[in-house]
Amino acid sequence: MLSGKDQTAFTCWPMTNILHSHNAFEMDTGEIEDVFRKIREKEEQLVGIYHSHPTAPPNPSLEDIAHANYPEAAYVIISLSDRSPNVRCFQILKPRVFPLLHGISRY
Ligand SMILES: [Zn+2]
């Protein structure tokens, strides 16, 4: 998870993938609550959630969209399928996905 202010990330919060999988991820709700408390203590807000696609392009999968519960966050996907990492950002307002070029749009 990424937290910060005014759509700028200042703090990176590495999370545990409780599925222990290379093909899917899920975060522990207790760990999420703990990180949200620490984010509040820093007077920051959730600004992004990042994960990698080891072998797929950097586009949200159907699972990514189904589990996208933070419309205020930029979903950052890092694809490692090419020689160099390829990064794309999206706002996910289920079921719609909007590529982000200039930050989160107000809604
Ligand atoms: Zn994904």
Side-chain angles (χ1 to χ4, degrees):
M1 297 169 72
L2 300 167
S3 65
K5 290 177 184 171
D6 299 326
Q7 301 180 37
T8 300
F10 296 141
T11 312
C12 178
W13 306 91
M15 305 294 286
T16 305
N17 181 358
I18 61 172
L19 298 180
H20 303 292
S21 164
H22 292 289
N23 306 317
F25 78 100
E26 188 176 326
M27 297 184 284
D28 175 69
T29 51
E31 190 178 14
I32 292 172
E33 287 169 14
D34 190 45
V35 166
F36 269 117
R37 184 177 47 74
K38 291 174 181 168
I39 289 172
R40 276 194 303 274
E41 285 170 5
K42 290 174 75 80
E43 298 185 346
E44 294 183 357
Q45 293 140 9
L46 178 71
V47 296
I49 296 177
Y50 70 92
H51 71 281
S52 64
H53 284 179
T55 58
N59 300 313
S61 66
L62 293 176
E63 290 241 318
D64 289 338
I65 297 166
H67 294 109
N69 296 321
Y70 302 97
E72 73 277 23
Y75 283 82
V76 182
I77 302 176
I78 304 129
S79 171
L80 305 171
S81 66
D82 225 333
R83 253 180 252 160
S84 56
N86 193 1
V87 180
R88 293 190 74 196
C89 283
F90 302 88
Q91 183 177 29
I92 302 176
L93 303 174
K94 290 194 269 190
R96 303 187 66 192
V97 174
F98 302 91
L100 291 178
L101 301 174
H102 307 289
I104 291 277
S105 55
R106 304 286 178 204
Y107 59 91

